[in-house]
Short mmCIF file of all heavy atoms in Angstrom, two decimals:
data_model
loop_
_atom_site.label_atom_id
_atom_site.label_comp_id
_atom_site.label_asym_id
_atom_site.label_seq_id
_atom_site.Cartn_x
_atom_site.Cartn_y
_atom_site.Cartn_z
N LEU F 1 0.02 -8.45 -4.75
CA LEU F 1 1.38 -8.29 -5.24
C LEU F 1 2.22 -7.46 -4.26
O LEU F 1 3.37 -7.79 -3.97
CB LEU F 1 1.37 -7.63 -6.62
CG LEU F 1 2.74 -7.35 -7.24
CD1 LEU F 1 3.50 -8.66 -7.47
CD2 LEU F 1 2.61 -6.59 -8.54
N ARG F 2 1.62 -6.37 -3.76
CA ARG F 2 2.35 -5.53 -2.80
C ARG F 2 2.70 -6.32 -1.53
O ARG F 2 3.77 -6.14 -0.95
CB ARG F 2 1.50 -4.30 -2.44
CG ARG F 2 1.45 -3.26 -3.55
CD ARG F 2 0.42 -2.19 -3.25
NE ARG F 2 0.38 -1.17 -4.28
CZ ARG F 2 -0.62 -0.31 -4.43
NH1 ARG F 2 -1.67 -0.37 -3.60
NH2 ARG F 2 -0.58 0.58 -5.38
N HIS F 3 1.73 -7.17 -1.10
CA HIS F 3 1.98 -7.98 0.09
C HIS F 3 3.11 -8.99 -0.16
O HIS F 3 4.00 -9.18 0.67
CB HIS F 3 0.69 -8.72 0.48
CG HIS F 3 0.83 -9.59 1.68
ND1 HIS F 3 1.17 -10.93 1.59
CD2 HIS F 3 0.71 -9.32 3.01
CE1 HIS F 3 1.23 -11.44 2.79
NE2 HIS F 3 0.95 -10.49 3.68
N ASP F 4 3.04 -9.64 -1.34
CA ASP F 4 4.05 -10.64 -1.66
C ASP F 4 5.41 -10.01 -1.93
O ASP F 4 6.45 -10.67 -1.75
CB ASP F 4 3.63 -11.45 -2.89
CG ASP F 4 2.40 -12.32 -2.60
OD1 ASP F 4 2.11 -12.51 -1.40
OD2 ASP F 4 1.77 -12.79 -3.57
N LEU F 5 5.39 -8.75 -2.37
CA LEU F 5 6.64 -8.09 -2.75
C LEU F 5 7.60 -7.99 -1.55
O LEU F 5 8.82 -8.08 -1.72
CB LEU F 5 6.34 -6.71 -3.31
CG LEU F 5 7.46 -6.03 -4.10
CD1 LEU F 5 7.88 -6.90 -5.29
CD2 LEU F 5 7.04 -4.66 -4.58
N LYS F 6 7.04 -7.79 -0.36
CA LYS F 6 7.89 -7.70 0.82
C LYS F 6 8.66 -9.00 1.03
O LYS F 6 9.87 -8.99 1.29
CB LYS F 6 7.04 -7.39 2.06
CG LYS F 6 6.36 -6.02 2.03
CD LYS F 6 5.51 -5.82 3.28
CE LYS F 6 4.81 -4.47 3.24
NZ LYS F 6 3.95 -4.25 4.43
N ASN F 7 7.94 -10.12 0.89
CA ASN F 7 8.60 -11.42 1.05
C ASN F 7 9.61 -11.67 -0.06
O ASN F 7 10.68 -12.25 0.16
CB ASN F 7 7.55 -12.54 1.07
CG ASN F 7 6.62 -12.43 2.25
OD1 ASN F 7 7.02 -12.00 3.34
ND2 ASN F 7 5.35 -12.80 2.05
N ILE F 8 9.24 -11.24 -1.29
CA ILE F 8 10.15 -11.44 -2.42
C ILE F 8 11.43 -10.64 -2.23
O ILE F 8 12.55 -11.15 -2.44
CB ILE F 8 9.45 -11.03 -3.73
CG1 ILE F 8 8.29 -12.01 -4.04
CG2 ILE F 8 10.42 -11.00 -4.90
CD1 ILE F 8 7.40 -11.55 -5.18
N VAL F 9 11.29 -9.38 -1.82
CA VAL F 9 12.46 -8.52 -1.60
C VAL F 9 13.33 -9.09 -0.48
O VAL F 9 14.58 -9.08 -0.56
CB VAL F 9 12.03 -7.08 -1.30
CG1 VAL F 9 13.24 -6.24 -0.85
CG2 VAL F 9 11.38 -6.45 -2.52
N SER F 10 12.69 -9.60 0.56
CA SER F 10 13.45 -10.21 1.67
C SER F 10 14.25 -11.41 1.18
O SER F 10 15.42 -11.60 1.57
CB SER F 10 12.50 -10.64 2.78
OG SER F 10 11.82 -9.54 3.33
N SER F 11 13.62 -12.22 0.30
CA SER F 11 14.33 -13.40 -0.24
C SER F 11 15.52 -12.97 -1.09
O SER F 11 16.61 -13.55 -1.00
CB SER F 11 13.36 -14.24 -1.08
OG SER F 11 12.30 -14.71 -0.30
N ILE F 12 15.30 -11.94 -1.95
CA ILE F 12 16.39 -11.45 -2.81
C ILE F 12 17.53 -10.91 -1.94
O ILE F 12 18.72 -11.15 -2.21
CB ILE F 12 15.87 -10.38 -3.76
CG1 ILE F 12 14.91 -11.01 -4.79
CG2 ILE F 12 17.02 -9.68 -4.49
CD1 ILE F 12 14.24 -10.00 -5.71
N ASP F 13 17.15 -10.18 -0.87
CA ASP F 13 18.17 -9.62 0.02
C ASP F 13 18.98 -10.73 0.69
O ASP F 13 20.21 -10.63 0.82
CB ASP F 13 17.48 -8.75 1.07
CG ASP F 13 18.47 -8.08 2.01
OD1 ASP F 13 19.30 -7.28 1.51
OD2 ASP F 13 18.44 -8.37 3.22
N PHE F 14 18.27 -11.79 1.10
CA PHE F 14 18.95 -12.93 1.73
C PHE F 14 19.94 -13.59 0.77
O PHE F 14 21.09 -13.86 1.11
CB PHE F 14 17.91 -13.94 2.22
CG PHE F 14 18.51 -15.23 2.73
CD1 PHE F 14 19.08 -15.30 4.01
CD2 PHE F 14 18.54 -16.37 1.92
CE1 PHE F 14 19.63 -16.49 4.47
CE2 PHE F 14 19.10 -17.54 2.38
CZ PHE F 14 19.65 -17.61 3.66
N TYR F 15 19.47 -13.86 -0.46
CA TYR F 15 20.34 -14.50 -1.45
C TYR F 15 21.50 -13.59 -1.86
O TYR F 15 22.61 -14.06 -2.15
CB TYR F 15 19.53 -14.91 -2.69
CG TYR F 15 18.61 -16.09 -2.43
CD1 TYR F 15 17.25 -16.00 -2.73
CD2 TYR F 15 19.10 -17.28 -1.90
CE1 TYR F 15 16.39 -17.07 -2.49
CE2 TYR F 15 18.25 -18.36 -1.66
CZ TYR F 15 16.90 -18.25 -1.96
OH TYR F 15 16.06 -19.31 -1.72
N ALA F 16 21.25 -12.29 -1.87
CA ALA F 16 22.32 -11.35 -2.23
C ALA F 16 23.42 -11.36 -1.17
O ALA F 16 24.62 -11.30 -1.50
CB ALA F 16 21.75 -9.94 -2.40
N ASP F 17 23.00 -11.40 0.13
CA ASP F 17 23.99 -11.44 1.20
C ASP F 17 24.86 -12.68 1.10
O ASP F 17 26.04 -12.67 1.49
CB ASP F 17 23.28 -11.41 2.57
CG ASP F 17 22.73 -10.02 2.88
OD1 ASP F 17 23.17 -9.05 2.23
OD2 ASP F 17 21.84 -9.91 3.75
N ASN F 18 24.30 -13.77 0.57
CA ASN F 18 25.03 -15.02 0.44
C ASN F 18 25.61 -15.23 -0.96
O ASN F 18 26.06 -16.33 -1.28
CB ASN F 18 24.12 -16.20 0.80
CG ASN F 18 23.74 -16.22 2.28
OD1 ASN F 18 24.50 -16.69 3.14
ND2 ASN F 18 22.56 -15.68 2.58
N SER F 19 25.52 -14.16 -1.79
CA SER F 19 26.06 -14.22 -3.16
C SER F 19 25.46 -15.37 -3.96
O SER F 19 26.12 -15.97 -4.81
CB SER F 19 27.60 -14.34 -3.13
OG SER F 19 28.16 -13.24 -2.45
N ASP F 20 24.21 -15.70 -3.67
CA ASP F 20 23.53 -16.79 -4.39
C ASP F 20 22.77 -16.19 -5.59
O ASP F 20 21.55 -16.01 -5.57
CB ASP F 20 22.56 -17.50 -3.43
CG ASP F 20 22.01 -18.80 -4.04
OD1 ASP F 20 22.20 -19.01 -5.25
OD2 ASP F 20 21.37 -19.57 -3.30
N TYR F 21 23.54 -15.87 -6.64
CA TYR F 21 22.95 -15.17 -7.79
C TYR F 21 22.01 -16.06 -8.60
O TYR F 21 21.10 -15.56 -9.28
CB TYR F 21 24.06 -14.61 -8.67
CG TYR F 21 24.96 -13.65 -7.92
CD1 TYR F 21 26.30 -13.95 -7.69
CD2 TYR F 21 24.43 -12.46 -7.41
CE1 TYR F 21 27.12 -13.08 -6.99
CE2 TYR F 21 25.25 -11.58 -6.71
CZ TYR F 21 26.59 -11.89 -6.50
OH TYR F 21 27.38 -11.03 -5.80
N GLU F 22 22.21 -17.37 -8.55
CA GLU F 22 21.35 -18.26 -9.32
C GLU F 22 19.90 -18.21 -8.82
O GLU F 22 18.95 -18.14 -9.59
CB GLU F 22 21.88 -19.70 -9.24
CG GLU F 22 23.15 -19.94 -10.03
CD GLU F 22 22.97 -19.62 -11.51
OE1 GLU F 22 21.89 -19.97 -12.07
OE2 GLU F 22 23.87 -19.02 -12.10
N ASN F 23 19.74 -18.23 -7.48
CA ASN F 23 18.39 -18.14 -6.93
C ASN F 23 17.77 -16.77 -7.15
O ASN F 23 16.55 -16.64 -7.31
CB ASN F 23 18.42 -18.45 -5.42
CG ASN F 23 18.35 -19.94 -5.14
OD1 ASN F 23 17.62 -20.67 -5.82
ND2 ASN F 23 19.13 -20.41 -4.18
N ILE F 24 18.60 -15.71 -7.17
CA ILE F 24 18.09 -14.37 -7.48
C ILE F 24 17.53 -14.35 -8.90
O ILE F 24 16.45 -13.79 -9.16
CB ILE F 24 19.21 -13.31 -7.31
CG1 ILE F 24 19.59 -13.19 -5.83
CG2 ILE F 24 18.74 -11.96 -7.86
CD1 ILE F 24 20.74 -12.24 -5.58
N LYS F 25 18.27 -14.98 -9.85
CA LYS F 25 17.80 -15.04 -11.23
C LYS F 25 16.47 -15.81 -11.33
O LYS F 25 15.57 -15.43 -12.06
CB LYS F 25 18.84 -15.71 -12.12
CG LYS F 25 20.06 -14.85 -12.39
CD LYS F 25 21.03 -15.60 -13.29
CE LYS F 25 22.28 -14.75 -13.56
NZ LYS F 25 23.23 -15.47 -14.43
N VAL F 26 16.36 -16.91 -10.57
CA VAL F 26 15.13 -17.70 -10.59
C VAL F 26 13.94 -16.86 -10.14
O VAL F 26 12.86 -16.87 -10.76
CB VAL F 26 15.28 -18.95 -9.71
CG1 VAL F 26 13.92 -19.65 -9.55
CG2 VAL F 26 16.30 -19.91 -10.31
N ILE F 27 14.14 -16.11 -9.04
CA ILE F 27 13.06 -15.28 -8.49
C ILE F 27 12.66 -14.18 -9.47
O ILE F 27 11.47 -13.96 -9.74
CB ILE F 27 13.48 -14.67 -7.13
CG1 ILE F 27 13.63 -15.78 -6.08
CG2 ILE F 27 12.45 -13.64 -6.67
CD1 ILE F 27 14.20 -15.29 -4.77
N THR F 28 13.64 -13.47 -10.03
CA THR F 28 13.33 -12.35 -10.94
C THR F 28 12.66 -12.84 -12.22
O THR F 28 11.73 -12.19 -12.72
CB THR F 28 14.61 -11.57 -11.29
OG1 THR F 28 15.60 -12.48 -11.81
CG2 THR F 28 15.17 -10.87 -10.06
N ARG F 29 13.13 -13.99 -12.74
CA ARG F 29 12.49 -14.51 -13.96
C ARG F 29 11.05 -14.95 -13.68
O ARG F 29 10.17 -14.81 -14.53
CB ARG F 29 13.31 -15.68 -14.49
CG ARG F 29 14.61 -15.23 -15.17
CD ARG F 29 15.51 -16.40 -15.48
NE ARG F 29 16.76 -15.93 -16.08
CZ ARG F 29 17.83 -16.71 -16.29
NH1 ARG F 29 17.79 -17.99 -15.94
NH2 ARG F 29 18.91 -16.21 -16.83
N LYS F 30 10.84 -15.51 -12.50
CA LYS F 30 9.50 -15.92 -12.13
C LYS F 30 8.57 -14.71 -12.03
O LYS F 30 7.41 -14.74 -12.47
CB LYS F 30 9.54 -16.67 -10.80
CG LYS F 30 8.18 -17.24 -10.39
CD LYS F 30 8.30 -18.02 -9.09
CE LYS F 30 6.94 -18.57 -8.67
NZ LYS F 30 7.03 -19.32 -7.40
N ILE F 31 9.09 -13.62 -11.44
CA ILE F 31 8.30 -12.38 -11.32
C ILE F 31 7.97 -11.81 -12.69
O ILE F 31 6.82 -11.44 -12.98
CB ILE F 31 9.06 -11.33 -10.48
CG1 ILE F 31 9.16 -11.80 -9.02
CG2 ILE F 31 8.34 -9.98 -10.54
CD1 ILE F 31 10.05 -10.93 -8.17
N LEU F 32 8.96 -11.74 -13.55
CA LEU F 32 8.76 -11.15 -14.88
C LEU F 32 7.79 -11.96 -15.72
O LEU F 32 7.18 -11.45 -16.66
CB LEU F 32 10.10 -11.01 -15.61
CG LEU F 32 11.07 -9.98 -15.00
CD1 LEU F 32 12.41 -10.04 -15.70
CD2 LEU F 32 10.47 -8.58 -15.10
N GLY F 33 7.64 -13.23 -15.40
CA GLY F 33 6.71 -14.07 -16.17
C GLY F 33 5.30 -14.04 -15.65
O GLY F 33 4.40 -14.60 -16.28
N GLN F 34 5.06 -13.38 -14.53
CA GLN F 34 3.71 -13.34 -13.97
C GLN F 34 2.80 -12.47 -14.83
O GLN F 34 3.18 -11.42 -15.32
CB GLN F 34 3.73 -12.79 -12.53
CG GLN F 34 4.27 -13.81 -11.54
CD GLN F 34 4.19 -13.29 -10.12
OE1 GLN F 34 3.63 -12.22 -9.88
NE2 GLN F 34 4.75 -14.03 -9.19
N GLU F 35 1.53 -12.90 -14.97
CA GLU F 35 0.56 -12.22 -15.83
C GLU F 35 0.26 -10.82 -15.33
O GLU F 35 0.04 -9.92 -16.12
CB GLU F 35 -0.73 -13.04 -15.88
CG GLU F 35 -1.77 -12.49 -16.84
CD GLU F 35 -3.03 -13.31 -16.82
OE1 GLU F 35 -3.10 -14.27 -16.05
OE2 GLU F 35 -3.96 -12.97 -17.58
N VAL F 36 0.28 -10.63 -14.01
CA VAL F 36 -0.09 -9.34 -13.48
C VAL F 36 0.87 -8.25 -13.94
O VAL F 36 0.47 -7.11 -14.15
CB VAL F 36 -0.18 -9.39 -11.93
CG1 VAL F 36 1.19 -9.60 -11.30
CG2 VAL F 36 -0.83 -8.12 -11.39
N PHE F 37 2.16 -8.58 -14.13
CA PHE F 37 3.09 -7.58 -14.63
C PHE F 37 2.86 -7.30 -16.11
O PHE F 37 3.02 -6.18 -16.58
CB PHE F 37 4.53 -8.04 -14.41
CG PHE F 37 5.03 -7.71 -13.04
CD1 PHE F 37 4.88 -8.61 -12.01
CD2 PHE F 37 5.65 -6.50 -12.79
CE1 PHE F 37 5.35 -8.31 -10.74
CE2 PHE F 37 6.12 -6.19 -11.53
CZ PHE F 37 5.96 -7.10 -10.49
N ASN F 38 2.47 -8.33 -16.84
CA ASN F 38 2.22 -8.13 -18.26
C ASN F 38 1.01 -7.25 -18.52
O ASN F 38 0.85 -6.71 -19.60
CB ASN F 38 2.02 -9.49 -18.96
CG ASN F 38 3.30 -10.31 -18.98
OD1 ASN F 38 4.39 -9.75 -18.97
ND2 ASN F 38 3.16 -11.64 -18.98
N ARG F 39 0.14 -7.14 -17.55
CA ARG F 39 -1.07 -6.35 -17.73
C ARG F 39 -0.84 -4.85 -17.59
O ARG F 39 -1.68 -4.07 -17.95
CB ARG F 39 -2.12 -6.78 -16.70
CG ARG F 39 -2.74 -8.13 -16.99
CD ARG F 39 -3.80 -8.43 -15.97
NE ARG F 39 -4.44 -9.70 -16.22
CZ ARG F 39 -5.40 -10.20 -15.45
NH1 ARG F 39 -5.79 -9.53 -14.39
NH2 ARG F 39 -5.95 -11.36 -15.74
N LYS F 40 0.26 -4.47 -16.99
CA LYS F 40 0.48 -3.04 -16.76
C LYS F 40 0.78 -2.34 -18.09
O LYS F 40 1.71 -2.69 -18.79
CB LYS F 40 1.65 -2.83 -15.79
CG LYS F 40 1.80 -1.37 -15.38
CD LYS F 40 2.93 -1.16 -14.40
CE LYS F 40 4.27 -1.25 -15.11
NZ LYS F 40 5.39 -0.87 -14.22
N ILE F 41 -0.06 -1.35 -18.43
CA ILE F 41 0.13 -0.60 -19.67
C ILE F 41 0.53 0.83 -19.35
O ILE F 41 1.56 1.32 -19.80
CB ILE F 41 -1.15 -0.62 -20.52
CG1 ILE F 41 -1.53 -2.07 -20.87
CG2 ILE F 41 -0.96 0.19 -21.81
CD1 ILE F 41 -2.83 -2.21 -21.61
N THR F 42 -0.31 1.51 -18.57
CA THR F 42 0.01 2.88 -18.16
C THR F 42 0.39 2.95 -16.68
O THR F 42 1.03 3.90 -16.25
CB THR F 42 -1.19 3.82 -18.39
OG1 THR F 42 -2.26 3.44 -17.52
CG2 THR F 42 -1.66 3.76 -19.83
N GLY F 43 -0.06 1.95 -15.91
CA GLY F 43 0.13 1.98 -14.47
C GLY F 43 -1.08 2.56 -13.75
O GLY F 43 -1.20 2.45 -12.54
N CYS F 44 -1.98 3.19 -14.52
CA CYS F 44 -3.22 3.73 -13.96
C CYS F 44 -4.28 2.63 -14.07
O CYS F 44 -4.70 2.27 -15.18
CB CYS F 44 -3.65 4.99 -14.72
SG CYS F 44 -5.15 5.74 -14.10
N ILE F 45 -4.68 2.07 -12.94
CA ILE F 45 -5.49 0.86 -12.93
C ILE F 45 -6.80 0.99 -13.72
O ILE F 45 -7.11 0.11 -14.53
CB ILE F 45 -5.78 0.42 -11.47
CG1 ILE F 45 -4.48 -0.05 -10.82
CG2 ILE F 45 -6.83 -0.69 -11.43
CD1 ILE F 45 -4.63 -0.45 -9.38
N PRO F 46 -7.61 2.06 -13.54
CA PRO F 46 -8.87 2.13 -14.31
C PRO F 46 -8.64 2.10 -15.82
O PRO F 46 -9.35 1.40 -16.55
CB PRO F 46 -9.48 3.46 -13.85
CG PRO F 46 -8.90 3.71 -12.51
CD PRO F 46 -7.51 3.18 -12.59
N ILE F 47 -7.65 2.86 -16.28
CA ILE F 47 -7.36 2.91 -17.72
C ILE F 47 -6.83 1.57 -18.19
O ILE F 47 -7.23 1.05 -19.25
CB ILE F 47 -6.37 4.04 -18.04
CG1 ILE F 47 -7.04 5.40 -17.79
CG2 ILE F 47 -5.87 3.95 -19.47
CD1 ILE F 47 -6.13 6.58 -17.98
N ASP F 48 -5.94 0.97 -17.41
CA ASP F 48 -5.38 -0.32 -17.80
C ASP F 48 -6.45 -1.41 -17.87
O ASP F 48 -6.38 -2.31 -18.71
CB ASP F 48 -4.30 -0.74 -16.79
CG ASP F 48 -2.99 0.00 -17.03
OD1 ASP F 48 -2.95 0.78 -17.99
OD2 ASP F 48 -2.03 -0.20 -16.27
#
């Protein structure tokens, strides 16, 4: 996720510079739907 996050942030930055808010929404919704984010409870990996 940390590795992919750099590419994701770069994509969001690119779309933001071009005022392409629709693609920004697509990316953020896709991220929020990923299972790995749903698994975070405390943020402390062993406990989670």
Side-chain angles (χ1 to χ4, degrees):
L1 178 62
R2 286 170 178 164
H3 179 268
D4 293 344
L5 196 58
K6 295 179 181 179
N7 296 326
I8 293 170
V9 171
S10 298
S11 299
I12 292 175
D13 182 62
F14 173 79
Y15 288 127
D17 286 342
N18 292 278
S19 301
D20 190 348
Y21 301 115
E22 288 302 319
N23 275 321
I24 293 176
K25 287 181 181 180
V26 171
I27 293 173
T28 54
R29 286 170 182 170
K30 184 177 179 181
I31 293 172
L32 292 174
Q34 285 184 7
E35 185 181 1
V36 68
F37 276 90
N38 292 332
R39 287 183 179 179
K40 188 179 75 172
I41 301 176
T42 66
C44 181
I45 291 178
I47 292 176
D48 282 358

